[in-house]
Amino acid sequence: MTKSETPQGVRSLNGYKRCFGPKAELTMKCVPAVLIRQVCVLGCLSVLAGPVFSADSPDIESARQSFRQGDYAKCISDANSAMSNWERSDEWACLQINAMMSTGQYKEAALAAMTQLRNYPRSLSVPFTAYHAFQHNGQADLAQMMLQQIYRSASVRQLAFLPAKDQVSVGRTLLLLGGEPKLILDEFFTKAQRKDPNDVEAYLAAGDLALAKQDYELAATQFRKALERFGDEPRAHYGLAKAFYYSDRKAMLLSLDAALLINSNHADSLLLLAEHQIDAENYEGAEALLKRLLDVNPWHPEAWALRCVISHLTNDAFAIAPNRSRALKFWKDNPAVDHLIGRKLSQRYWFAKGAEYQEKALEFDSRYAPARAQLAEDLLRLGNEKGWSLANAVYQADQYNVQAYNMVTLRDHMAKFTTLTDDNLIIRMDPQEAGIYGDRVMALLKRAKTQLSQKYGLVLDKPITLELFKNQQDFAVRTFGMPGGDGYLGVCFGDVITANSPKLELRSNWQATLWHEFCHVVTLNLTNNKMPRWLSEGLSVYEERQHDPAWGQRMTPQYRSMILGGDLTPITHLSSAFMSPPTSMHMQFAYYESSLAVEYLVSEYGMDAIKAILKDLGEGEEINAVIEKHTTALDRLEQGFAAFARAEAEGLAKDVDWDQPAETGPGPVSAEVVTQWLTDHPNSFWALTLQAGQFMAEQQWESAKAPLKRLIELYPAYTGEGNAYAMLAQVYRQLDETQEERAVLMQWIQHSADATEAYLRLMRMDAKEGQWASVLEQGERYLAVYPMLGEVHRLMAQAAQALMRPDQAVASYENVLALDPADPAQVHYQLARLLVDKDSTQAKRHVLEALADAPRFREAHQLLLQLSREGTP
C-alpha cells in the first residue's frame, strides 16, 4: 500500500498517544524487573518454537460452538488437542483460557496463559486473554504487564494491517489504560466492524463500552447489530438484556431467555437473572440460579457476592463474611465484589451499608470508577453533600461517563435552588416556585411529621430533606442516576425525598404525594430501611386515604376486573408485582393491592400488629416470619386476604351492571346497539356512559341528563376519565342552568382531590356572585394540585380583599406578579392600594411600577399624588 492509500485517522499507537491524559503512564516502571525478564524470556523462546499447522486438528468452529453453548469441557479438550498439534490460530489459546476461567480453573488458566504467551508471541489476543487470567488470580503485576506488552507490540505496527480481532484487543487495552472512549470506539471498534463484519468481538466490545459509560441506548444499538449477524451468540443477548436492566425488565427477561436457551450455563445471564430475582425479593429463586452457576464455576466471584447480598437481606449474619471470602478467594483485592454487594444493598435502600462496601472496593482500587460513582449516589441519598464533589471527581477522571456527567450538570442546576428550613426540615426547590408555594410545602411537611411520627411512635430528631424538581429529567437523574423515570411523582430514600414539582398536565395532588413520601420517611426509619417494597408502598397509600378519603388509590372498575379476573398477587410475592408489570395499569394496581393488603392487616389484626411488624423488621427479622408471628399462618392469611380483596371488588357499586357486549363490530358503537343493550341491561355502566356521550356529541343536552344522573346514582365515587360529573356539569353549562351546575360540581369535588376544572369553574362562578369565602376554599383545593396558575391567585387576592384580609391579598397579588401577568400595571396598582397604610414606601414603588407599564393609568396617578401629599419618601 502506498502512502496515499493509508487510511485516515489513527495509523499507529504512536499517533494515538494524544488521546491519553497527562496521568496515563504507559511505562513499565511499576512492574518488577523479574517479571519483565520472565515475559521477555518467554517471548524469545517462542520465536524458536513457532506453531505448525496440522490437518488432523479439531475444527475451530466446532470449538467456538462448544464455548457458545456452555460445553466448556469439550472446548478445553478440543483446544488442547489442537494446540498439541501446533495449530496456528491463537484463537485456540484464547478459547482454552476462557473456558478454564468459565469453570473456575483460575490457577490452571494462569498457567495456560504463561504457556500460550510463549506459543503465540505475535498475538495481541492471547496477552489480552492472559490479562484477565492473571487478574482473576490476583496477579496484578503480570496483568498490567500484559497491557504494556500489547501496547508496545501494537505501537510498532500499522493499525490498518491488524486483523479485526487484534484491533479489538488493542482497543480494549487502551480503554483499560485510560484512553479516550469516543476515539477508541471510532478508530478501533467501529473500524474493526467494517474491516471484518463477521467478527462478533467488535460488536461486543462497542456494546460493552457503551454499557460501561451508562449509554444504554447506544449499547442496545450495538448489541442489536451483533444479533443481526450472530443470533446464536449468548453474549450479545446478555448485553442487550443488560441495556434494558434499568428501563424495561420485560425486554430484559426476553433477552436473557434467549441467551440461556443457547447456553444454559452462561454465567453473566444467570447472574443478571439472579439480580432480578433479588430485586423482586425472591431469594429462593435467586439462590437456585446461583447454584446453577456455581455448579459450573464453583468460585465465580460475582455469584458469591450475590450470595453475600442475600445473606444481608435475609439477616443471615453468619454467612455474610464466608460468602464474601469465597468471592475473593483467588483475586483477593477484586473491587468488583464489594461494589456489586454495595450496589445491590443500595438498591434495597440500605445506603449506609452500601456506601461501606463501596469504600471497601475503593480500598482495593482507589480509581475504580463504578465504586466511586455509586458512592457519590449513596452519599447524596444519605443527605451527605460530599457526594457532589465525588461525582465531580468521577466526571473529571472520565468525561464520557454519562452518569457522572448527568450528576455534575444536575449539581449546577441545583446550585440555583432556594433552600427553606424549619423544624429540622430542609426544602430545596426552584426560586420562583419557592416564593409562590414554598410556605405551603413546609406547612404540609410539618403536619405530616407531627401526625405520622406520633401515630407510629417515632422520634424523628434528624434533618429530613425534600428536593422538588421543576424539570422532570433533573428529578430522574437525582433519583435514578439517569434520565427517564416517567410516571414517578416522588421517591423517598429514608431521610431524603425527591419529587417532581406539580404539573397541570399530571393532574395529581402534590400534597397527597408528599404525605405519601413522608410516610416512607417514618416507616423506613422505623425499619432501618429493611422492609419489603409492598409493605412500604402499601402503608404510604393507606395513610393517604386515612388522612383524606379523596387522596390515595381506591377501587376502580379496572381494579375490580383485575381482582375478579385472577390478577391478585399473593402477599408473599407482592413485591415482585412492581418489578416487571406488563402495563402501567398493572404497576398502579401493585400500589393499590399493597394498600389493600395493609388495610386487611389493620382491619383483622389492628394497627399494633403493623407497628410490631415494623419493629421486628428493623431488628433484621424476615418479613414472612414476622407476619406469621403477629398475625396468623401465611396460608390462612393469604386465603383471608384473597376473600377480603374479592369482597371489596364485588362491593364496588353493587347495582352497576358491569357486563359488555362480546363484539360490537368495527368503528364506533352505534346508538342502536347501545339502546338495545340498555333494554336488557338498564344499569350498564358501559352503555349509559356511551349513550350520554352520543347525546352530547349531537348536542341533545336534555336527553343526556338522564343517563348521566343514573350513572352518578349508581356509582357516585367514580371520578376517573370521562366521569358523569364532568359530563353533566358541561350539560348544565350548555343549558345555562347555573345552580344545577354548581350542585353537580360540589358533588364532584367531594369525591376527588384533583378535579382542577371543577375547582376553577366554581371559583369563577363564586367570584361572579360575590361568594368570596367559597372562592378561597376552592382556590386552596386548586393550589393543592397546581399552584402556578395566575388566575387562581388573582381570584384569591380579590376574595381576600373583599373579606378584608389585606396580608393574604398582598401575598396572592405578589404571586400573580411572579407568574408574569398580562396586566402587571393593574396588579401593581392593587398592591399599592393594599400597602398604603401598612408600608407607604412599598406602595409608592408599586404605583411607580404601574405607571411605568401604563403611563396613562389615571387611578395610579391619583394614588401617586395622594402618597406624595402624605410625604412618602
Side-chain angles (χ1 to χ4, degrees), residues 86-252:
W86 296 98
E87 173 59 68
R88 284 180 182 175
S89 175
D90 60 358
E91 188 176 353
W92 287 110
C94 296
L95 284 169
Q96 179 203 43
I97 297 167
N98 284 325
M100 285 179 170
M101 288 194 291
S102 297
T103 53
Q105 301 177 61
Y106 294 115
K107 288 185 178 179
E108 294 83 351
L111 291 173
M114 296 294 286
T115 300
Q116 303 313 332
L117 287 168
R118 181 182 68 239
N119 291 339
Y120 299 94
R122 292 186 57 79
S123 170
L124 297 177
S125 301
V126 170
F128 187 76
T129 306
Y131 161 81
H132 290 290
F134 295 144
Q135 208 179 32
H136 275 280
N137 282 276
Q139 297 169 302
D141 291 338
L142 277 176
Q144 183 68 16
M145 191 187 302
M146 293 301 98
L147 300 182
Q148 303 291 355
Q149 178 176 327
I150 295 169
Y151 183 82
R152 285 199 314 274
S153 179
S155 295
V156 297
R157 308 188 199 181
Q158 287 287 335
L159 297 182
F161 297 112
L162 287 178
K165 65 184 182 66
D166 285 346
Q167 287 186 349
V168 172
S169 295
V170 174
R172 286 189 183 270
T173 298
L174 293 172
L175 282 174
L176 291 168
L177 290 171
E180 185 178 331
K182 180 66 167 63
L183 194 58
I184 293 171
L185 176 64
D186 293 342
E187 296 291 344
F188 290 88
F189 301 155
T190 302
K191 286 189 174 180
Q193 291 174 10
R194 294 175 187 154
K195 188 180 190 73
D196 184 0
N198 293 317
D199 184 0
V200 67
E201 298 300 329
Y203 301 95
L204 297 178
D208 289 342
L209 171 56
L211 284 178
K213 305 305 175 186
Q214 293 89 40
D215 191 341
Y216 299 111
E217 186 176 347
L218 176 60
T221 299
Q222 293 292 345
F223 289 121
R224 285 194 184 101
K225 286 168 63 177
L227 289 171
E228 288 174 3
R229 291 179 175 273
F230 313 98
D232 63 343
E233 177 53 70
R235 291 177 296 167
H237 288 289
Y238 160 76
L240 187 58
K242 187 75 172 175
F244 287 130
Y245 178 80
Y246 293 102
S247 60
D248 189 343
R249 289 294 179 97
K250 187 177 180 180
M252 180 196 80

Side-chain angles (χ1 to χ4, degrees), residues 32 68 90 215 421 550 654 801:
R68 281 196 301 268
D90 60 358
D215 191 341
T421 58
K654 286 186 176 181
Q801 272 184 294

Side-chain angles (χ1 to χ4, degrees), residues 493-780:
F493 300 116
D495 297 338
V496 176
I497 300 170
T498 60
N500 276 301
S501 293
K503 305 288 189 299
L504 185 59
E505 61 273 17
L506 291 178
R507 225 184 78 162
S508 177
N509 190 299
W510 62 264
Q511 293 186 354
T513 298
L514 294 186
W515 196 273
H516 175 110
E517 298 304 332
F518 207 93
C519 184
H520 282 310
V521 171
V522 172
T523 56
L524 289 174
N525 272 277
L526 277 171
T527 61
N528 298 312
N529 286 36
K530 298 177 181 180
M531 62 189 305
R533 183 171 182 183
W534 74 264
L535 182 57
S536 181
E537 298 296 355
L539 280 168
S540 286
V541 177
Y542 172 78
E543 287 298 345
E544 284 185 71
R545 290 199 299 266
Q546 292 297 298
H547 183 72
D548 187 332
W551 286 5
Q553 294 197 60
R554 292 168 291 174
M555 185 70 71
T556 66
Q558 294 91 339
Y559 295 165
R560 175 189 181 276
S561 176
M562 294 172 80
I563 291 172
L564 298 180
D567 282 345
L568 198 71
T569 303
I571 291 177
T572 51
H573 297 95
L574 192 46
S575 290
S576 65
F578 291 91
M579 292 311 304
S580 52
T583 66
S584 60
M585 177 59 68
H586 283 81
M587 173 62 91
Q588 292 302 314
F589 181 62
Y591 281 91
Y592 174 69
E593 186 189 338
S594 298
S595 74
L596 203 60
V598 168
E599 187 174 330
Y600 170 69
L601 291 173
V602 173
S603 66
E604 288 293 313
Y605 306 101
M607 196 66 198
D608 287 341
I610 295 293
K611 293 179 183 178
I613 288 171
L614 295 178
K615 180 177 181 295
D616 288 351
L617 288 174
E619 294 172 358
E621 295 189 37
E622 194 268 332
I623 178 62
N624 291 335
V626 167
I627 289 177
E628 278 196 321
K629 176 180 174 182
H630 296 290
T631 59
T632 187
L634 285 178
D635 56 350
R636 190 180 307 163
L637 185 77
E638 296 287 14
Q639 292 173 6
F641 173 59
F644 176 80
R646 189 172 188 86
E648 289 289 310
E650 291 173 342
L652 178 69
K654 286 186 176 181
D655 294 330
V656 168
D657 185 338
W658 298 103
D659 290 340
Q660 295 184 29
E663 295 183 6
T664 57
V669 180
S670 68
E672 291 76 14
V673 170
V674 172
T675 302
Q676 180 59 46
W677 186 261
L678 282 171
T679 302
D680 300 324
H681 305 80
N683 291 340
S684 169
F685 185 81
W686 170 81
L688 287 169
T689 304
L690 273 180
Q691 186 182 62
Q694 289 171 347
F695 284 144
M696 292 176 69
E698 297 172 1
Q699 299 187 9
Q700 297 182 36
W701 308 115
E702 287 291 346
S703 300
K705 288 181 181 179
L708 291 172
K709 289 179 178 179
R710 183 57 178 157
L711 282 167
I712 292 173
E713 180 183 347
L714 290 168
Y715 188 2
Y718 182 68
T719 59
E721 186 176 354
N723 67 79
Y725 294 114
M727 297 170 73
L728 187 56
Q730 183 182 351
V731 167
Y732 286 137
R733 189 155 56 251
Q734 292 294 332
L735 295 172
D736 201 24
E737 297 177 1
T738 306
Q739 294 308 312
E740 289 80 0
E741 181 188 358
R742 178 192 298 279
V744 78
L745 289 173
M746 291 301 293
Q747 282 182 276
W748 184 4
I749 65 175
Q750 299 309 311
H751 296 283
S752 175
D754 53 19
T756 48
E757 57 266 50
Y759 306 148
L760 186 56
R761 175 61 178 162
L762 284 169
M763 290 183 76
R764 291 167 177 167
M765 294 168 70
D766 291 337
K768 189 175 181 180
E769 298 175 9
Q771 298 187 30
W772 298 114
S774 180
V775 170
L776 290 178
E777 180 183 349
Q778 302 310 325
E780 290 294 339

Side-chain angles (χ1 to χ4, degrees), residues 33-49 114-121 142 145-146 149 152:
V34 63
L35 294 180
I36 298 175
R37 289 194 296 272
Q38 184 178 11
V39 171
C40 289
V41 168
L42 289 174
C44 294
L45 289 174
S46 63
V47 173
L48 301 175
M114 296 294 286
T115 300
Q116 303 313 332
L117 287 168
R118 181 182 68 239
N119 291 339
Y120 299 94
L142 277 176
M145 191 187 302
M146 293 301 98
Q149 178 176 327
R152 285 199 314 274

Side-chain angles (χ1 to χ4, degrees), residues 239-268:
L240 187 58
K242 187 75 172 175
F244 287 130
Y245 178 80
Y246 293 102
S247 60
D248 189 343
R249 289 294 179 97
K250 187 177 180 180
M252 180 196 80
L253 293 174
L254 289 173
S255 292
L256 289 178
D257 284 346
L260 292 170
L261 185 64
I262 299 166
N263 180 356
S264 61
N265 297 327
H266 190 248
D268 287 338

